[in-house]
Amino acid sequence: MSAPPLAGAPPADVAVPAAVRRLAGDRALRPVWLNGQGGLTFEVLGEPSSFVKFVPANSGGSLATEAAKLAWANPHAPSPRVLAFGHDETGEWLETAAMAGLNAVDERWRQDLAPVIAAVGRGLRALHDALPVADCPYSWMAEARREAVRHRAAAGLIIPADWRPELRHLSLDEALAIIEDIPPIDRLVVCHGDACAPNTLIGATGGWVGHVDFGALGLADRWADVAICAWSLDWNFGPGWDAAFYAAYGVDPDPDRIAYYRLLWALEG
């Protein structure tokens, strides 16, 4: 995406969708996330606790695919267990069981970021090592993503002025020309698809305990995840963490693949 979408904790008095209220019953709700498309996530408090995502109808988002991908990933890697999925004229909702840990950008970790960066890198490598390539029915390959970008460009949906500063020296035509040349696959893995720091969970002892938000999961070169995860550290913690992240993941930086997959991500919007 061109820059991190307008996302973060919603106001405490955000309107609760009726479907979410029905799922929660008389249990208290805590709003925890609002994304750039109007999707909301709530924590359902109580024992056991859970999380409910809701995407409004006609927002362009869908949770049906994420529910299926989670069901596939659950036996192989620490990921949210699906409790309920549904939809009506107002939108879709997905309830998952709570997992241990806090996301990597939680304020708890801000006083000592080095262990956080290490956990993010090791966690992504562990995820890539755990998910079975041969059994994965989902794809996130660059060829299909590139084709979707072409359609977005033709529809006038790509706005270079919205890109991150490090990409703004490119015109749209130049950027589209660059993504034509897909780098050879370094290592084919099942990618998370949105391996940004907020989607990494860290446990009480400072280690990786899982990931959330698997809607884009699919087969791809590992650099499709690695390049964006490292980039997200700049967004969330400031520059200077790349080397520690790559070391924790266990790979030397690959400038060509990093540049390619960051540009592709930016063009997807």
Side-chain angles (χ1 to χ4, degrees), residues 70 77 206 247 253 267:
L70 282 173
L267 292 170

Side-chain angles (χ1 to χ4, degrees), residues 1-109:
M1 57 188 66
S2 57
L6 182 60
D13 61 351
V14 68
V16 178
V20 176
R21 174 46 63 196
R22 288 196 300 270
L23 276 175
D26 59 2
R27 293 175 293 170
L29 290 165
R30 181 176 71 90
V32 296
W33 200 253
L34 170 66
N35 70 24
Q37 291 74 46
L40 285 161
T41 301
F42 295 86
E43 182 179 10
V44 184
L45 304 174
E47 292 295 337
S49 63
S50 63
F51 287 86
V52 179
K53 287 185 178 182
F54 179 86
V55 296
N58 304 315
S59 66
S62 175
L63 297 173
T65 299
E66 182 170 4
K69 290 181 176 182
L70 282 173
W72 177 84
N74 285 163
H76 307 293
S79 48
R81 180 169 56 89
V82 176
L83 300 176
F85 168 77
H87 61 90
D88 61 18
E89 68 281 359
T90 67
E92 294 182 350
W93 55 88
L94 173 64
E95 183 180 14
T96 57
M99 296 178 65
L102 299 171
N103 76 58
V105 301
D106 191 89
E107 287 299 320
R108 172 175 177 174
W109 317 119

Side-chain angles (χ1 to χ4, degrees), residues 24-241:
D26 59 2
R27 293 175 293 170
L29 290 165
R30 181 176 71 90
V32 296
W33 200 253
L34 170 66
N35 70 24
Q37 291 74 46
L40 285 161
T41 301
F42 295 86
E43 182 179 10
V44 184
L45 304 174
E47 292 295 337
S49 63
S50 63
F51 287 86
V52 179
K53 287 185 178 182
F54 179 86
V55 296
N58 304 315
S59 66
S62 175
L63 297 173
T65 299
E66 182 170 4
K69 290 181 176 182
L70 282 173
W72 177 84
N74 285 163
H76 307 293
S79 48
R81 180 169 56 89
V82 176
L83 300 176
F85 168 77
H87 61 90
D88 61 18
E89 68 281 359
T90 67
E92 294 182 350
W93 55 88
L94 173 64
E95 183 180 14
T96 57
M99 296 178 65
L102 299 171
N103 76 58
V105 301
D106 191 89
E107 287 299 320
R108 172 175 177 174
W109 317 119
R110 293 283 173 171
Q111 299 305 310
D112 187 9
L113 287 177
V116 173
I117 305 305
V120 172
R122 291 169 186 156
L124 185 59
R125 180 59 180 263
L127 183 74
H128 287 169
D129 288 347
L131 294 172
V133 168
D135 296 336
C136 182
Y138 305 107
S139 175
W140 196 47
M141 298 295 284
E143 288 81 0
R145 296 173 64 193
R146 181 182 61 187
E147 184 63 23
V149 164
R150 291 172 181 156
H151 288 297
R152 293 191 76 246
L157 298 177
I158 300 178
I159 303 172
D162 290 342
W163 295 348
R164 294 191 62 81
E166 54 266 50
L167 299 177
R168 289 181 194 158
H169 65 284
L170 295 171
S171 69
L172 177 56
D173 287 343
E174 289 170 335
L176 292 173
I178 290 170
I179 67 165
E180 287 300 308
D181 189 15
I182 300 172
I185 290 176
D186 170 45
R187 179 188 169 199
L188 185 67
V189 302
V190 181
C191 280
H192 177 279
D194 189 8
C196 299
N199 289 334
T200 304
L201 297 181
I202 297 176
T205 60
W208 169 75
V209 294
H211 282 85
V212 298
D213 287 348
F214 281 74
L217 173 146
L219 291 167
D221 187 350
R222 63 179 174 179
W223 286 96
D225 263 353
V226 172
I228 303 309
C229 190
W231 210 12
S232 80
L233 303 178
D234 290 355
W235 310 337
N236 290 287
F237 306 124
W241 296 106

